[in-house]
Amino acid sequence: MKILDRYISKNFIKAFFLSLIAFMGIFIVSQLFRVVKYLSDGRFSVSDAGYYIVTLLPRIFIDVAPLAVLLGSMMTISTMASNLEIISLKTSGIKFKRIILFPILISAIISGVVFYVNDTLYPTSIKINRDLRRGEVEERVAPVEKRNAFLRGENSNYIYLMQKVNRVTGFANNIEIIDLNKEFNKIERIITAPEGRYNFSKSVWTLKDATIYYGDRMKKPKSIEYFRDNKYNDNPEHFITLSVEPRTLSIKELKKTIREMKSIGGDTRELLVELGNRYSFPFASFIISFLGFALGGRYVRGTSAVSLGICVLLGYGYYVVQASFEALSANGFLNPFIGGWIPNIIFLGVGIYLLNKAEY
């Protein structure tokens, strides 16, 4: 690392942390009114209040990190430009893109930290924060019964349809099992039964008064008093899933929950939107740094208030665009992953354009 890179990187890191502390402080102060209210109502003790504020830090850090990068990059380049350091470096033959190379790499590292916090500390802090506000640890239990149950056999080519299933007794009524071919586009047989029970010790379903219909019309339906096939071994627990708040799940848990919801025909849109945001939003810190570096020197001739106003406006503009595309994804107008990345692509394009057009 050259002396120039160390100098710029040091200034950028210092400006970033100053901006981060300032923005986080503003958000924490805004929450103090709620904490005071909880203390006066007797819902919080002093230790609970402190713990509550600590659980807010991961979410606040994730939300303000892009703004801190934006303001930090603007402050770094603006200061250097006002001291004629940028002009001196450009006169000596160093391109502006080379000048900001290491700060941009640092912003990429910051995005990596945001990604880690977003996947580990954030879900846990949301759970703790929720329990503190409710005054107790919530124990969530899945319902005993489910009506109109649907399940696709795990790694199999058959599906269950049941009017009602009980996960405790293993009893189900009005059962229909549909066997399909390997391509999952042709019915090979359908098994119906007015009732059935799951044998927990042998892990198999037993259907009473079953009727088997074959996909081949030449074969006649067959009735069996008690039908049992070892491949139909899906536990009744799999038919009933516990509703969860997507924000409280890690990426690994989100993927697992999505698979489970798909297997029972549940709506996965909200989970997919959250998963898409987990992958896309952390990179906002890296992408938005291009705007800060370009604007930090471009408007050095104007007042600092103008530079600050433009950068903060663009920073919050990113949040507005991101929220808009998230709403479109949540309502089914866009693929959740595409909707999550469109704001990044838009602002990256704007940032690169402004870098190419920057004048000093």
Side-chain angles (χ1 to χ4, degrees):
M1 182 184 291
K2 297 181 179 180
I3 295 176
L4 172 63
D5 295 326
R6 288 199 297 269
Y7 172 74
I8 298 176
S9 299
K10 180 181 177 181
N11 288 340
F12 173 64
I13 292 172
K14 185 187 299 183
F16 166 73
F17 277 109
L18 286 174
S19 303
L20 182 66
I21 292 171
F23 282 121
M24 291 189 70
I26 292 171
F27 276 82
I28 291 173
V29 169
S30 68
Q31 291 293 322
L32 289 180
F33 298 101
R34 176 179 293 181
V35 173
V36 171
K37 182 177 183 300
Y38 287 161
L39 283 169
S40 61
D41 292 343
R43 296 174 60 182
F44 277 2
S45 63
V46 176
S47 60
D48 288 339
Y51 198 27
Y52 176 81
I53 293 175
V54 170
T55 60
L56 292 174
L57 296 181
R59 179 178 182 179
I60 295 175
F61 170 74
I62 293 167
D63 288 341
V64 305
L67 281 178
V69 169
L70 179 64
L71 185 56
S73 58
M74 182 273 295
M75 291 171 59
T76 302
I77 299 302
S78 180
T79 301
M80 292 182 65
S82 63
N83 293 334
L84 303 181
E85 293 173 318
I86 297 295
I87 292 178
S88 300
L89 291 170
K90 288 177 68 66
T91 303
S92 64
I94 301 176
K95 293 183 178 181
F96 181 66
K97 293 178 182 178
R98 175 62 185 86
I99 296 172
I100 64 172
L101 175 61
F102 272 78
I104 285 180
L105 292 177
I106 292 171
S107 68
I109 294 173
I110 293 171
S111 289
V113 175
V114 173
F115 183 89
Y116 174 79
V117 173
N118 201 24
D119 187 41
T120 55
L121 301 180
Y122 173 66
T124 303
S125 67
I126 289 292
K127 294 177 186 176
I128 297 173
N129 187 280
R130 182 187 61 195
D131 292 337
L132 282 171
R133 284 187 282 112
R134 291 177 178 174
E136 58 182 5
V137 177
E138 181 183 20
E139 293 185 4
R140 311 186 76 187
V141 180
V144 175
E145 290 187 348
K146 181 177 181 179
R147 293 185 176 275
N148 300 320
F150 169 92
L151 178 69
R152 177 175 177 177
E154 188 174 358
N155 300 321
S156 302
N157 58 333
Y158 58 87
I159 57 175
Y160 300 89
L161 299 169
M162 300 181 182
Q163 186 180 45
K164 185 173 68 174
V165 60
N166 187 301
R167 67 179 180 85
V168 176
T169 63
F171 180 80
N173 58 17
N174 291 335
I175 303 168
E176 186 172 317
I177 302 176
I178 304 174
D179 274 329
L180 295 102
N181 59 2
K182 292 182 179 180
E183 290 74 27
F184 216 72
N185 58 10
K186 183 179 179 182
I187 296 176
E188 294 187 345
R189 72 173 181 178
I190 300 175
I191 306 164
T192 63
E195 63 181 65
R197 188 178 295 274
Y198 184 76
N199 190 318
F200 289 94
S201 60
K202 296 181 180 180
S203 299
V204 66
W205 281 94
T206 301
L207 308 184
K208 184 179 180 182
D209 298 329
T211 303
I212 303 175
Y213 301 90
Y214 296 95
D216 185 354
R217 296 183 178 180
M218 300 299 293
K219 289 187 177 182
K220 294 182 179 181
K222 182 170 62 174
S223 299
I224 302 176
E225 185 176 1
Y226 290 98
F227 173 83
R228 179 185 297 176
D229 190 327
N230 289 331
K231 79 173 184 177
Y232 305 124
N233 57 2
D234 299 274
N235 194 294
E237 294 276 357
H238 299 165
F239 288 80
I240 304 173
T241 58
L242 183 63
S243 60
V244 295
E245 186 179 355
R247 296 184 304 162
T248 64
L249 303 177
S250 65
I251 290 177
K252 183 178 180 180
E253 291 169 337
L254 277 169
K255 290 180 178 179
K256 180 183 177 183
T257 305
I258 289 170
R259 288 195 300 269
E260 292 175 349
M261 291 294 290
K262 284 183 175 179
S263 70
I264 63 170
D267 185 9
T268 60
R269 175 65 57 174
E270 185 180 4
L271 294 166
L272 288 170
V273 170
E274 179 66 23
L275 182 61
N277 286 340
R278 292 290 180 88
Y279 281 115
S280 61
F281 185 78
F283 293 96
S285 299
F286 168 69
I287 290 168
I288 213 165
S289 66
F290 288 84
L291 292 172
F293 290 123
L295 295 174
R298 189 177 180 87
Y299 294 97
V300 67
R301 300 180 185 88
T303 62
S304 58
V306 172
S307 299
L308 178 61
I310 291 174
C311 287
V312 172
L313 181 64
L314 284 172
Y316 278 102
Y318 174 87
Y319 295 131
V320 172
V321 173
Q322 191 266 342
S324 300
F325 280 98
E326 181 180 339
L328 290 173
S329 300
N331 287 287
F333 294 105
L334 282 175
N335 179 286
F337 289 94
I338 295 176
W341 278 99
I342 287 178
N344 288 351
I345 295 171
I346 292 174
F347 277 79
L348 180 61
V350 173
I352 293 174
Y353 174 79
L354 290 176
L355 279 180
N356 290 330
K357 294 293 182 179
E359 298 176 0
Y360 301 100

